[in-house]
Amino acid sequence: MAGTSAGIVAGLTAAALGAVGFLAYQAQTTVPAKLGGSPGPGASAAAAASKAPRHRHNPTALPGGTGAGERVVYSVDDDRVWLIDAHDRVQRTFPVRPGNLDPLPGTYWVSSRSNAVTGSDGVPIEHVVRFTSVDGVAVGFSAAVGDGSPTAADPGVKTGGIRETRADGNLMWQFATIGVRVVVIR
């Protein structure tokens, strides 16, 4: 009987690993050509190093080449975020204030979340949505608790927080759950 149970567990484990491997392969092969390239640390596929195409008459429009389906798009050059639903519709776009460590362009996934913590700059923050790290410092979206006014961090402190207003932080918290894709572009 014990051998049968172990065999069932081993079979289920193998099936689960196979399914995860297949899904990872499928995700990798469906990355648009514009997102192809060498993956950065923690990224599945790097975005093009050049700046993603922008709409000349609407600078807040979603840049092209960011993929399809539900995702968060973050432009390190424009300091802007787009929340995109499963039908490729922009649900919200808003400006952000990044720390001094930028993630490499690429595709990441939300890996952890915290309701309330203290940021690497010593500021109390809420609705933290992390998706990678740079130089050992977590990088993610968050909102400063209080009035949301910018604070000057010690220039010697590495900061990976991408700060949003509290209202935008609430939306990000609801939208970007564990496993949601984050596409970082220039």
Side-chain angles (χ1 to χ4, degrees), residues 8 15 30 68 77 89 158 167:
I8 291 172
T30 59
D77 286 354
R89 292 184 299 242
K158 294 179 180 179

Coordinates of all heavy atoms in Angstrom, one line a residue, residues 8 15 30 68 77 89 158 167:
I8 N 1.8 7.1 -6.7 CA 0.8 8.1 -7.0 C 1.4 9.5 -6.8 O 1.2 10.4 -7.7 CB -0.5 7.9 -6.2 CG1 -1.2 6.6 -6.7 CG2 -1.4 9.1 -6.4 CD1 -2.4 6.2 -5.8
A15 N 3.7 14.9 -13.3 CA 2.7 15.6 -14.1 C 2.7 17.1 -13.9 O 2.6 17.9 -14.8 CB 1.3 15.0 -13.9
T30 N 5.6 32.5 -27.1 CA 4.6 33.4 -27.5 C 5.0 34.9 -27.3 O 4.2 35.8 -27.4 CB 3.3 33.2 -26.8 OG1 3.4 33.3 -25.4 CG2 2.7 31.8 -27.2
A68 N 0.8 41.0 -25.1 CA -0.6 40.9 -25.2 C -1.1 40.3 -23.9 O -0.4 39.6 -23.2 CB -1.1 40.0 -26.4
D77 N 12.1 55.1 -18.9 CA 12.4 56.5 -19.5 C 11.3 57.5 -19.2 O 11.6 58.7 -19.0 CB 12.7 56.4 -21.0 CG 14.1 55.7 -21.3 OD1 14.8 55.4 -20.3 OD2 14.4 55.5 -22.5
R89 N -6.9 46.1 -23.1 CA -7.4 47.5 -22.9 C -6.7 48.1 -21.7 O -6.5 47.5 -20.7 CB -8.9 47.5 -22.6 CG -9.7 47.0 -23.8 CD -11.2 47.1 -23.5 NE -11.5 46.3 -22.4 CZ -12.4 45.3 -22.4 NH1 -13.0 45.0 -23.5 NH2 -12.6 44.5 -21.3
K158 N 20.7 52.7 -1.8 CA 20.2 52.2 -3.1 C 18.7 52.0 -2.8 O 18.3 51.3 -1.9 CB 20.8 50.8 -3.4 CG 22.3 51.0 -3.8 CD 22.8 49.6 -4.1 CE 24.3 49.7 -4.5 NZ 24.9 48.4 -4.8
A167 N -3.7 56.6 -4.3 CA -4.8 56.1 -5.1 C -4.4 55.1 -6.2 O -5.0 54.1 -6.4 CB -5.6 57.3 -5.7

